[in-house]
């Protein structure tokens, strides 16, 4: 497809909102608080921010450059620059498909919890045991999670079917500001809770005595997933950027927004957790088991929990849209399907995988892949293998293989913008990113 035939996003703000829509997701609001809680709170936050700055920012600029230099889907983009590197694009399309397999399921849970908050069902229970039982019953049910997951997939499909400008861009412009308003309202509410300052101290006062090598590696993995790096999402989105879009500024704003949302999510959750005296390290169930119990002890509990789960739904939706688009535009451009047909094929394929992943938590629990059920295998395979591998090879490709002039042209908009930190940027991409990512990868493989 020629460059001129391709749609582009509107203004500067659109590029930031669309890319931030992908980055800000369940990774920030569901995953970040419990991972930070498990890893010492404030100290984890400090290390996480360093990872975002040293590794996340250069890699995002690198992915943006690949996308805008070629105006192609992830596979086409790498192939255009160097045939031998198209495997990086395939790695991305595969990772997007597999992530959607479990991400859609968790998104479905958030939708169900939102509905239960609105109907008052969530306020019927009181003890943690009851909330745990409710959550277990729900995720093991063969039909209900699949029903909500299907609704979520339908919403994602609807946006994708509307196209890049009317669907993706327009939805990001509405949903992202909405997400920020909700998050700020919840953060203020949380800070005003009695006993909330304890939680804030835990989250913002670093205690480095708890930091181990594993903490650093966990922070890296989290930064990577949270910024949507290593799988071609940013390559795909940047392929719609305008020639005037400043890639560095866009990447800078996206990383700031993403980190701000993670910090605000911590500010919402930790004071609430401490105000009722619960351990902050209660794992993935923090949002689905601990929080509903906390909301229940507050006045106007139905309102706050409905708003909170609406926030999760919105955050998840802008991320699933970006993952869906990676596959849809790949099928559209590489397999010459119509955009409609490509969107339906992606929806059908991910629906089947998500249904199996959901069933693997209950009915098909006995089906194991290397000891893990399908849901956990998808999470493990993507977060621990495909994403770090994608990031590693992206930094090698852009640092060593991509033509220096082509990269400069992208970053400076053909010489119109200064590029004072080029040496630092290249150094980070050539040496620091690959070395750190290799370490994470080897650690995840259990080599250390
Ligand atoms: N960044 C998203 C989150 O934090 O929830 C998840 C995600 C979206 C990962 C898109 C990767 C991706 F390509």
């Amino acid at each position: 497809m020629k460059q001129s035939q391709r749609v582009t996003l509107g203004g500067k703000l659109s590029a930031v909102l669309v890319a931030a829509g992908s980055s800000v997701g369940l990774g920030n609001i569901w995953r970040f608080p419990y991972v930070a809680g498990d890893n010492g709170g404030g100290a984890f936050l400090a290390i996480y921010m360093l990872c975002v700055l040293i590794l996340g920012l250069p890699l995002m600029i690198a992915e943006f450059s690949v996308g805008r230099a070629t105006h192609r889907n992830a596979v086409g983009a790498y192939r255009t620059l160097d045939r031998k590197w198209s495997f990086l694009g395939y790695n991305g399309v595969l990772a997007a498909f597999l992530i959607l397999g479990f991400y859609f399921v968790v998104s479905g849970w958030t939708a169900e919890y939102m509905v239960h908050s609105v109907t008052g069902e969530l306020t019927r229970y009181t003890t943690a045991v009851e909330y745990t039982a409710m959550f277990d019953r729900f995720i093991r049910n063969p039909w209900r999670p699949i029903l909500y997951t299907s609704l979520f997939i339908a919403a994602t499909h609807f946006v994708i079917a509307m196209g890049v400008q009317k669907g993706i861009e327009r939805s990001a412009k509405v949903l992202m500001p909405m997400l920020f308003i909700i998050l700020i309202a919840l953060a203020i509410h949380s800070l005003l809770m009695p006993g909330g300052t304890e939680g804030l101290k835990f989250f913002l006062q670093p205690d480095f005595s708890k930091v181990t090598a594993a903490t650093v590696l966990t922070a890296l993995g989290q930064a990577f997933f949270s910024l949507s790096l290593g799988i071609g999402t940013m390559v795909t989105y940047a392929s719609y950027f305008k020639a005037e879009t400043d890639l560095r500024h866009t990447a800078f704003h996206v990383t700031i927004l993403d980190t701000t949302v993670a910090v605000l999510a911590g500010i919402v959750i930790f004071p609430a957790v401490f105000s009722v005296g619960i351990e902050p390290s209660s794992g993935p169930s923090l949002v689905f088991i601990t929080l509903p119990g906390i909301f229940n002890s507050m006045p106007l509990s139905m309102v706050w929990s409905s708003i909170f789960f609406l926030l999760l739904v919105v955050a998840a939706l802008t991320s699933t849209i970006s993952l869906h688009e990676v596959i849809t535009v790949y099928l559209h451009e590489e397999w010459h399907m119509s955009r409609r047909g490509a969107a339906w094929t992606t929806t059908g394929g991910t629906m089947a995988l998500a249904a199996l992943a959901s069933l693997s938590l209950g009915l098909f629990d006995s089906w194991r892949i290397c000891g893990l059920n399908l849901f956990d295998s998808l999470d493990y395979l993507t977060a621990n293998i495909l994403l770090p591998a994608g990031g590693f090879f992206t930094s090698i490709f852009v640092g060593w293989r991509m033509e220096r002039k082509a990269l400069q042209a992208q970053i400076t908009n053909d010489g119109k913008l200064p590029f004072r930190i080029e040496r630092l940027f290249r150094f980070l991409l050539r040496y620091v990113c690959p070395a750190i990512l290799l370490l994470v990868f080897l650690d995840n493989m259990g080599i250390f």
Side-chain angles (χ1 to χ4, degrees):
M1 187 175 286
K2 287 207 195 75
Q3 226 169 286
S4 55
Q5 290 174 312
R6 227 163 188 272
V7 287
T8 51
L9 296 170
K12 233 197 282 179
L13 186 67
S14 303
V16 174
L17 287 181
V18 162
S22 172
S23 298
V24 174
L26 296 174
N28 303 62
I29 305 168
W30 164 62
R31 199 167 188 273
F32 178 82
Y34 83 72
V35 173
D38 281 344
N39 286 282
F44 180 83
L45 177 64
I47 296 170
Y48 174 79
M49 285 182 166
L50 256 157
C51 296
V52 166
L53 205 70
I54 297 174
L55 187 102
L57 195 56
L59 265 171
M60 193 179 287
I61 300 173
E63 289 203 19
F64 280 168
S65 305
V66 170
R68 204 189 42 188
T70 53
H71 290 280
R72 294 224 163 211
N73 65 86
V75 173
Y78 285 104
R79 211 200 23 240
T80 306
L81 294 172
D82 187 335
R83 252 203 126 63
K84 283 197 226 102
W85 286 78
S86 36
F87 75 89
L88 246 177
Y90 287 111
N91 179 70
V93 174
L94 177 68
F97 178 66
L98 300 179
I99 291 181
L100 277 179
F102 72 92
Y103 204 92
F104 266 144
V105 176
V106 183
S107 305
W109 298 348
T110 66
E112 158 123 12
Y113 269 65
M114 185 183 80
V115 172
H116 282 344
S117 304
V118 175
T119 59
E121 166 83 12
L122 270 192
T123 53
R124 284 201 4 225
Y125 307 95
T126 39
T127 62
V129 177
E130 283 173 327
Y131 279 107
T132 311
M134 176 197 160
F135 182 64
D136 278 347
R137 249 195 336 267
F138 167 58
I139 63 169
R140 286 169 185 281
N141 184 297
W143 302 113
R144 269 172 41 212
I146 295 187
L147 176 73
Y148 281 94
T149 297
S150 313
L151 286 176
F152 208 94
I153 296 176
T156 307
H157 179 89
F158 178 74
V159 174
I160 292 290
M162 302 280 283
V164 174
Q165 288 167 337
K166 289 207 184 111
I168 298 176
E169 184 174 355
R170 239 203 245 161
S171 62
K173 279 183 162 167
V174 175
L175 296 176
M176 292 311 285
M178 179 169 151
L179 183 143
F180 266 92
I181 293 170
I182 299 177
L183 198 53
I184 290 169
L186 283 169
I188 294 173
H189 173 258
S190 199
L191 287 175
L192 295 176
M193 281 172 48
T197 37
E198 263 314 293
L200 210 59
K201 248 200 221 150
F202 168 77
F203 185 46
L204 298 179
Q205 246 180 28
D207 171 6
F208 285 98
S209 66
K210 295 209 182 87
V211 173
T212 60
T215 319
V216 181
L217 298 174
T218 309
L220 264 168
Q222 172 63 21
F224 221 63
F225 184 78
S226 186
L227 292 171
S228 307
L229 293 172
I231 80 162
T233 310
M234 292 304 174
V235 172
T236 305
Y237 270 2
S239 73
Y240 303 123
F241 286 180
K242 274 187 169 12
E244 306 86 77
T245 303
D246 183 336
L247 300 186
R248 286 164 314 168
H249 282 180
T250 308
F252 186 67
H253 290 139
V254 173
T255 44
I256 295 270
L257 284 176
D258 189 71
T259 310
T260 308
V261 172
V263 172
L264 282 175
I267 292 179
V268 169
I269 288 168
F270 290 118
V273 167
F274 273 78
S275 75
V276 290
I278 292 174
E279 268 295 297
S281 53
S282 48
S285 59
L286 190 65
V287 159
F288 293 104
I289 294 175
T290 315
L291 270 189
I294 295 171
F295 285 131
N296 213 2
S297 61
M298 298 183 199
L300 294 176
S301 66
M302 263 165 79
V303 176
W304 291 113
S305 82
S306 307
I307 294 180
F308 179 77
F309 285 106
L310 174 67
L311 170 76
L312 277 175
V313 166
V314 169
L317 186 61
T318 51
S319 297
T320 54
I321 290 169
S322 72
L323 290 158
H324 197 296
E325 178 66 14
V326 170
I327 310 170
T328 298
V329 70
Y330 158 71
L331 293 176
H332 174 47
E333 291 179 356
E334 301 295 315
W335 290 53
H336 306 292
M337 288 185 183
S338 66
R339 194 174 153 96
R340 246 177 93 104
W344 275 113
T345 309
T346 308
T347 298
T350 49
M351 177 72 230
L353 185 64
L356 286 176
S358 181
L359 289 173
S360 78
L361 295 170
L363 206 58
F364 299 157
D365 193 31
S366 54
W367 292 8
R368 299 273 156 167
I369 309 162
C370 302
L372 295 175
N373 61 35
L374 180 64
F375 181 94
D376 292 333
S377 326
L378 292 174
D379 184 0
Y380 182 86
L381 182 66
T382 51
N384 295 334
I385 300 174
L386 298 182
L387 294 198
F392 174 77
F393 288 112
T394 305
S395 51
I396 299 271
F397 177 75
V398 179
W400 295 94
R401 193 74 199 93
M402 190 172 168
E403 231 180 83
R404 192 167 177 175
K405 281 221 176 80
L407 184 63
Q408 278 170 341
Q410 285 311 315
I411 295 180
T412 63
N413 286 357
D414 279 325
K416 289 187 207 78
L417 303 170
F419 189 15
R420 287 188 206 96
I421 52 157
E422 184 178 358
R423 284 177 64 170
L424 175 66
F425 176 74
R426 285 178 75 81
F427 177 72
L428 289 174
L429 273 187
R430 289 187 141 194
Y431 303 103
V432 181
C433 294
I436 294 178
L437 283 164
L438 194 64
L439 270 178
V440 180
F441 192 67
L442 293 179
D443 180 68
N444 283 336
M445 299 283 85
I447 310 275
F448 298 129

